C-alpha cells in the first residue's frame, strides 16, 4: 500500500519570497512520466534526449535566438549550473593565463561559486542610481584578461535589467564573451520593451530557467548558447558510454525536469506566458502603489518584484503570521509576484500589514 508522506507538501498560500512557483498541470503530468529517465545518457534514453532537443528549440525561440539550426544548449539543474557553465566555457576559450569575469554587484551568488570553483577572478562593479550595471564601471574593470562580461536581465533583489547591448559592446571591444543571466526574467521579458535577448545584442550565452517563471517542475534550468563552440568548450570524453562526450556539469540528470519544461512551454508559449506576465506585473504595480500610499518607500518595480522599506520589527511579525518574505541586502522587504501569487493573497498580506 502507498503510504502518505510524513510531511505535507508545501502550500503556496503565503509564499511571497520564492522565485519558484506551482508547476503547471501539464508540467506535473509530463514530469511524472519521466521520473526514471536520464538525459545524461542519450543513447540509452532516446525519448528524453529528443525532448531535450525540443526544449532547447523552444527556449531558443523564447530568447530570440537568430537561428534555431545553430542554437545550442541544454537543460541544467538550475540557474546556478547554467551560470557556472557559462563562466567555465568562457574560461576554457580564453587565451589568458589569469582570466577574470566582470559582473555587476547585482549578479547572483552563483558567479561567486563559479569563480571559486574555476579559479577565475570575479570583478564585481557598482550599480548606477537605478540599480543597473554602471557601464562606465564595467568599461573600467575589463582588460585583456577578461574572459566574460555578465549582464543580469531580471536581478534577484530588485528585478532590474542591465543595459545588455552596451555591456555586449564593451565585451566585444575587450575580446571577451558576453553572458546574460535571465534565469528569473526570461519568461517575462519577451512581453516587455527591454533589450535583453539574442535579438538585441551579440551575446554568447544566456541563462533562462523553466523552473522559475516558466512554471516547469524543479529541476529545470536552461543554458542557451549562440552556437556549438560553447558546448564544445565544455565537453569531456566519456569512454564507456555509447556517446563519446558530455558537456553537462552533472552526469545523471532529471528527465522529469526536461519533460515538464517541454510540456509547459508547448502549452503556454507565447499566449499563456504573456497573460501570466501581464497579470504578475499588474499585481506588482498594484502592490507598489498600495505600499507607497501607506507611506512606505518603494523601489518602483520594472519586473514583477517589489522591494519596500518596511521596519524590521514589522517584517518579523509578518513572518510570525506565516508570510514567507525575504529581505534585500539593504534591508528592504522583497515580494516576488510569481504566478501563484494572486491579488487576493496580496490583499490579505496588506490587511496583516495594516493590522500590525
Ligand atoms: N540567476 C538569478 C538571476 C537568480 O535569481 C537565481 C536564483 C539564480 C541565477 C540561480 O538559480 P538556481 O537557484 O536555480 O540555481 N535566485 C533565487 C535566489 O537565490 C532562487 C530562489 C528560488 C530563492 C526559490 C528562493 C526560492 O524559494 O534567491
Amino acid at each position: 500500500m502507498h503510504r502518505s508522506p510524513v510531511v505535507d507538501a508545501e502550500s503556496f498560500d503565503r509564499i511571497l519570497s520564492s522565485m519558484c512557483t506551482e508547476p503547471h498541470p501539464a508540467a506535473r503530468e509530463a514530469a511524472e512520466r519521466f521520473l526514471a529517465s536520464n538525459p545524461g545518457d542519450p543513447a540509452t534514453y532516446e525519448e528524453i534526449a529528443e525532448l531535450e532537443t525540443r526544449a532547447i528549440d523552444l527556449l531558443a525561440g523564447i530568447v530570440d535566438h537568430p537561428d534555431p539550426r545553430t542554437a545550442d544548449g541544454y537543460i541544467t539543474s538550475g540557474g546556478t549550473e547554467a551560470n557556472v557553465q557559462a563562466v567555465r566555457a568562457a574560461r576554457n576559450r580564453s587565451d589568458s593565463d589569469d582570466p577574470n569575469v566582470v559582473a555587476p554587484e547585482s549578479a547572483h551568488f552563483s558567479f561567486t561559486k563559479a569563480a571559486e570553483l574555476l579559479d577565475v577572478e570575479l570583478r564585481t562593479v557598482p550599480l548606477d542610481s537605478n540599480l543597473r550595471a554602471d557601464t562606465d564601471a564595467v568599461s573600467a574593470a575589463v582588460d585583456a584578461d577578461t574572459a566574460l562580461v555578465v549582464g543580469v536581465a531580471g536581478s534577484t533583489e530588485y528585478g532590474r535589467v542591465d543595459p545588455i547591448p552596451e555591456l555586449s559592446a564593451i565585451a566585444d571591444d575587450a575580446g571577451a564573451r558576453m553572458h546574460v543571466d535571465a534565469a528569473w526574467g526570461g519568461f517575462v521579458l519577451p512581453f516587455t520593451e527591454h533589450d535583453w535577448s539574442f535579438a538585441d545584442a551579440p551575446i554568447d550565452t544566456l541563462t533562462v530557467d523553466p523552473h522559475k517563471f516558466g512554471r516547469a517542475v524543479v529541476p529545470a534550468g536552461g543554458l542557451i548558447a549562440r552556437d556549438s563552440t560553447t558546448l564544445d568548450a565544455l565537453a569531456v570524453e566519456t569512454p564507456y558510454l555509447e556517446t563519446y562526450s558530455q558537456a553537462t556539469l552533472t552526469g545523471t540528470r532529471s528527465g522529469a525536469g526536461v519533460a515538464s519544461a517541454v510540456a509547459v512551454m508547448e502549452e503556454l508559449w507565447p499566449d499563456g506566458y504573456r497573460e501570466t506576465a501581464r497579470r504578475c506585473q499588474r499585481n506588482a504595480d498594484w502592490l507598489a502603489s498600495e505600499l507607497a500610499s501607506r507611506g512606505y518607500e518603494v523601489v518602483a518595480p520594472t519586473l514583477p518584484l517589489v522591494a519596500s522599506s518596511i521596519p524590521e520589527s514589522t517584517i518579523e511579525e509578518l513572518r510570525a503570521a506565516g508570510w514567507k518574505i525575504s529581505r534585500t541586502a539593504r534591508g528592504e522587504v522583497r515580494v516576488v509576484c510569481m504566478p501563484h501569487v494572486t491579488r487576493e493573497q496580496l490583499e490579505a498580506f496588506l490587511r496583516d500589514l495594516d493590522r500590525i
Side-chain angles (χ1 to χ4, degrees):
M1 256 292 276
H2 177 79
R3 286 218 240 136
S4 56
V6 186
V7 178
D8 283 336
E10 306 289 348
S11 149
F12 277 91
D13 276 2
R14 294 193 159 206
I15 299 184
L16 302 179
S17 56
S18 187
M19 292 195 149
C20 295
T21 193
E22 237 168 338
H24 187 276
R28 237 177 233 283
E29 195 271 330
E32 182 137 12
R33 283 188 287 125
F34 285 89
L35 284 172
S37 67
N38 173 19
D41 180 5
T44 305
Y45 297 95
E46 293 172 284
E47 306 264 336
I48 198 68
E50 261 175 53
L51 281 180
E52 186 164 24
T53 307
R54 180 84 192 117
I56 298 310
D57 282 350
L58 283 157
L59 280 174
I62 292 170
V63 303
D64 297 320
H65 193 287
D67 185 353
R69 286 163 307 179
T70 55
D72 204 359
Y74 73 94
I75 298 299
T76 63
S77 53
T80 298
E81 182 183 343
N83 289 340
V84 169
Q85 291 279 78
V87 174
R88 182 171 159 229
R91 184 204 64 173
N92 288 357
R93 292 171 73 192
S94 162
D95 300 327
S96 168
D97 298 330
D98 186 19
N100 66 70
V101 171
V102 176
E105 264 167 17
S106 54
H108 187 255
F109 52 77
S110 45
F111 292 99
T112 309
K113 297 181 185 178
E116 219 179 285
L117 282 166
L118 296 162
D119 196 24
V120 302
E121 180 196 349
L122 179 62
R123 295 184 178 169
T124 47
V125 303
L127 307 181
D128 66 14
S129 58
N130 196 20
L131 301 166
R132 304 162 82 216
D134 182 319
T135 49
D136 290 337
V138 173
S139 289
V142 298
D143 60 21
D145 291 318
T146 302
L148 187 69
V149 174
V150 174
V152 188
S155 61
T156 310
E157 288 200 320
Y158 298 102
R160 288 300 192 253
V161 183
D162 287 335
I164 302 300
E166 289 83 348
L167 295 178
S168 297
I170 296 168
D172 196 46
D173 283 346
R177 321 264 165 214
M178 177 69 203
H179 177 69
V180 173
D181 183 359
W184 175 72
F187 284 86
V188 175
L189 287 161
F191 313 109
T192 69
E193 298 294 308
H194 293 284
D195 289 332
W196 67 287
S197 72
F198 282 90
D200 302 313
I203 59 189
D204 294 284
T205 48
L206 184 146
T207 295
V208 52
D209 288 354
H211 75 199
K212 295 194 170 74
F213 248 105
R215 301 176 66 188
V217 307
V218 178
L223 176 66
I224 300 297
R226 166 165 297 276
D227 55 43
S228 59
T229 52
T230 296
L231 265 61
D232 288 348
L234 295 170
V236 300
E237 282 178 33
T238 52
Y240 56 85
L241 290 183
E242 284 160 87
T243 42
Y244 300 109
S245 74
Q246 193 175 79
T248 56
L249 187 56
T250 55
T252 302
R253 292 187 289 135
S254 170
V258 171
S260 80
V262 172
V264 66
M265 287 190 283
E266 290 200 326
E267 182 88 13
L268 296 182
W269 175 256
D271 296 345
Y273 285 130
R274 181 186 299 110
E275 217 172 278
T276 306
R278 298 229 162 113
R279 178 174 61 83
C280 293
Q281 189 64 49
R282 278 197 302 272
N283 279 342
D285 294 340
W286 178 82
L287 177 64
S289 77
E290 288 292 319
L291 288 167
S293 76
R294 286 164 169 79
Y296 297 109
E297 234 177 88
V298 179
V299 180
T302 48
L303 290 179
L305 195 165
V306 181
S308 178
S309 308
I310 292 176
E312 166 82 60
S313 57
T314 310
I315 295 181
E316 284 317 313
E317 285 193 57
L318 285 165
R319 284 198 178 127
W323 293 102
K324 308 287 187 197
I325 43 182
S326 61
R327 295 174 62 201
T328 64
R330 294 198 308 205
E332 292 118 335
V333 75
R334 180 173 154 273
V335 173
V336 193
C337 294
M338 292 302 291
H340 66 268
V341 176
T342 61
R343 185 65 65 93
E344 293 70 44
Q345 223 175 314
L346 294 173
E347 282 165 356
F349 175 72
L350 288 176
R351 274 198 301 277
D352 279 359
L353 177 67
D354 292 342
R355 180 174 53 76
I356 289 163

